[in-house]
Amino acid sequence: MNKEWNGELKNMNAGINAAVRNIEEADELSKISKDAYDFIKQGNLDEAKDLFYKILDQEPENHYALVGLGDISRKKNEFPEAINFYKKCLNSHHENKYALIGLADVYREMGNYKESIGLWEHFIVHYGVDITVLTRLADSYRKLGDYENAKKFYKQVFEIDPRNSYALTGIGYLYFETKKYEWALENWMKMLEIEPDNVKILTAIGNCHRKKKTFEDGIVYFERALRLQNKNFYALYGLADCYRGLVMHEESLHVWKELLELSPNNKVIMTRLADSYRNLEDYDKAEIYYRAALNIGYDYYATLGLVFVYKAKNDYEKAIKILEDIFKKEPYNSRTLYELVICYREIGNSEKALTLLEEQMKAGNNLSNLLVEIYNNLKTN
């Protein structure tokens, strides 16, 4: 009897000791996991990674470690590795909410919005409404151009939080992209009440006014943005373009120069700077910058700018040569055809202008109303 009792007691003690060891091991892994996540918050990703692998050595399917490694890989833009970690977690811990969210975010950052949408919609079915997920769904549908579904999810966000900054920003871009600038402004102005110093929103509002051609109002918001970030490229670009729209070429020139210092090999900026010099009748400097832009790569507007420079210098031979070269590359471009016809007419070669138009008509190319008017005038004179 005593032997049996002693045997049972030993088994009980062994079981208790094993349970204690398991608890101690679990506590140790929990502490390691907490330390690893603290390292992530501090930006010490490599230290966190080492700790998570230490956990996996003892528990190969530990969901905290797998999700943590997925998060680290995502932060490092190592997307295939992140996907593998999140999927491994989901294989052994079905419906793990953090793995679902992490995997959806990876696909979003890769631009694979359809995959993200599927995961977020699955998340909502399983876990219920989550305002962050609703916002990401709306943003993803917007980026896919599915504006109706995007609006549906933004509306759901506003039903929970009417002043949600992410949704106000996102739906503003939706209306901006669909050219409903007044509605974009309405939402962005609400956003500005929440974050009055948000440079991105200030610049977005400025761009709305730029699109509406209310340039004076655009300048106000671009200048507000620049008081906060005086070298913000987008605010400077918008400001320069507003000055351009107001025919304030001196002011525009100054800002284009500043932009070129920020982006020295930007052919669009070089072309805009050249345009300013041309509008100020400094044709030599305009030619320098048009050519500098074209040395970077072909640009239609820089090429056309050179045409205007040569016309201003009364060098129609060079202007026509450039236009004819463009026309060879782009067999029918209404703008190029118009400028070429005007050049021929201005040098007194109306016959050549008329022939050029008739060739286009015979080729089946529809002339713009302006070119039809020129054609009729050439025929009657």
Side-chain angles (χ1 to χ4, degrees):
M1 188 72 172
N2 288 336
K3 287 182 180 179
E4 289 179 7
W5 171 250
N6 287 337
E8 287 182 17
L9 189 61
K10 283 181 181 178
N11 289 337
M12 286 175 63
N13 287 335
I16 291 169
N17 290 335
V20 168
R21 281 196 303 274
N22 287 338
I23 291 169
E24 288 174 347
E25 287 173 5
D27 286 344
E28 183 188 357
L29 293 181
S30 178
K31 183 182 183 307
I32 294 171
S33 181
K34 182 183 180 303
D35 289 343
Y37 277 103
D38 285 342
F39 276 135
I40 290 178
K41 289 176 186 175
Q42 296 163 16
N44 298 326
L45 302 184
D46 290 333
E47 290 89 339
K49 188 174 181 179
D50 289 341
L51 290 181
F52 284 133
Y53 273 118
K54 187 176 179 181
I55 294 171
L56 291 184
D57 286 341
Q58 297 182 58
E59 281 189 17
E61 294 180 348
N62 183 286
H63 62 281
Y64 292 111
L66 291 169
V67 170
L69 287 166
D71 291 347
I72 290 169
S73 297
R74 180 164 57 85
K75 288 176 183 293
K76 289 184 170 186
N77 295 327
E78 296 168 352
F79 298 133
E81 292 85 348
I83 290 169
N84 286 336
F85 284 121
Y86 291 131
K87 284 187 172 180
K88 187 174 180 182
C89 178
L90 290 167
N91 285 339
S92 53
H93 305 277
H94 307 295
E95 312 299 350
N96 180 287
K97 67 190 301 184
Y98 301 106
L100 280 171
I101 290 291
L103 186 58
D105 280 344
V106 170
Y107 285 129
R108 179 185 61 158
E109 289 168 34
M110 292 172 69
N112 191 344
Y113 299 111
K114 288 183 179 178
E115 289 285 353
S116 291
I117 286 168
L119 288 162
W120 283 320
E121 290 184 340
H122 175 77
F123 180 96
I124 286 175
V125 169
H126 196 79
Y127 289 104
V129 171
D130 180 287
I131 197 166
T132 301
V133 171
L134 289 175
T135 306
R136 287 176 180 172
L137 271 167
D139 287 343
S140 294
Y141 274 118
R142 174 175 63 81
K143 286 174 181 174
L144 286 174
D146 186 343
Y147 296 118
E148 289 309 309
N149 267 316
K151 281 190 277 188
K152 179 182 78 174
F153 284 107
Y154 283 129
K155 184 179 177 182
Q156 288 183 38
V157 174
F158 291 133
E159 286 170 358
I160 301 167
D161 178 9
R163 288 167 62 83
N164 183 278
S165 59
Y166 296 105
L168 286 170
T169 300
I171 201 166
Y173 281 115
L174 185 154
Y175 288 130
F176 184 85
E177 289 160 14
T178 53
K179 300 183 179 180
K180 294 176 181 175
Y181 301 121
E182 288 299 334
W183 291 0
L185 281 171
E186 181 182 332
N187 285 280
W188 282 337
M189 292 305 288
K190 288 178 185 176
M191 177 63 195
L192 211 56
E193 289 174 11
I194 301 167
E195 297 180 19
D197 291 340
N198 187 315
V199 171
K200 187 177 179 181
I201 296 301
L202 287 167
T203 304
I205 292 171
N207 281 326
C208 254
H209 285 297
R210 190 161 62 94
K211 292 291 184 181
K212 290 177 62 190
K213 299 189 185 303
T214 48
F215 298 118
E216 294 92 342
D217 291 329
I219 288 170
V220 170
Y221 288 96
F222 288 129
E223 286 182 340
R224 275 182 65 178
L226 289 166
R227 282 196 289 274
L228 296 164
Q229 290 181 12
N230 66 345
K231 295 297 181 183
N232 184 283
F233 182 90
Y234 300 103
L236 284 167
Y237 188 99
L239 180 64
D241 206 45
C242 283
Y243 284 139
R244 176 171 165 261
L246 291 168
V247 198
M248 297 170 66
H249 299 306
E250 286 281 3
E251 292 83 352
S252 184
L253 178 74
H254 173 76
V255 185
W256 293 127
K257 281 183 176 179
E258 194 172 348
L259 278 162
L260 197 59
E261 289 177 8
L262 295 175
S263 184
N265 296 312
N266 190 317
K267 66 180 180 180
V268 174
I269 303 300
M270 286 179 185
T271 301
R272 289 281 188 256
L273 180 57
D275 288 343
S276 294
Y277 277 122
R278 178 170 58 80
N279 287 318
L280 291 166
E281 299 183 3
D282 190 339
Y283 301 118
D284 289 338
K285 282 188 179 175
E287 183 175 356
I288 288 168
Y289 283 102
Y290 283 133
R291 291 205 174 279
L294 290 169
N295 283 339
I296 294 170
Y298 175 74
D299 184 278
Y300 178 76
Y301 296 103
T303 309
L304 205 57
L306 273 179
V307 170
F308 297 142
V309 165
Y310 289 131
K311 283 179 67 175
K313 290 182 173 183
N314 210 32
D315 192 342
Y316 280 87
E317 184 179 347
K318 285 183 180 177
I320 289 170
K321 175 69 170 62
I322 290 170
L323 288 166
E324 286 177 340
D325 287 343
I326 298 174
F327 215 59
K328 287 174 186 173
K329 292 175 185 174
E330 303 173 41
Y332 184 72
N333 180 310
S334 183
R335 177 68 186 276
T336 308
L337 179 60
Y338 170 80
E339 296 297 342
L340 195 50
V341 166
I342 292 298
C343 276
Y344 283 130
R345 194 175 67 175
E346 286 180 357
I347 63 172
N349 195 344
S350 296
E351 185 179 342
K352 179 70 174 176
L354 187 60
T355 300
L356 189 59
L357 290 170
E358 287 174 342
E359 284 174 353
Q360 294 304 311
M361 293 165 69
K362 285 177 185 175
N365 294 321
N366 293 323
L367 301 182
S368 65
N369 292 336
L370 188 56
L371 285 169
V372 169
E373 185 181 336
I374 292 171
Y375 174 76
N376 291 333
N377 286 336
L378 289 170
K379 286 288 283 185
T380 55
N381 292 330

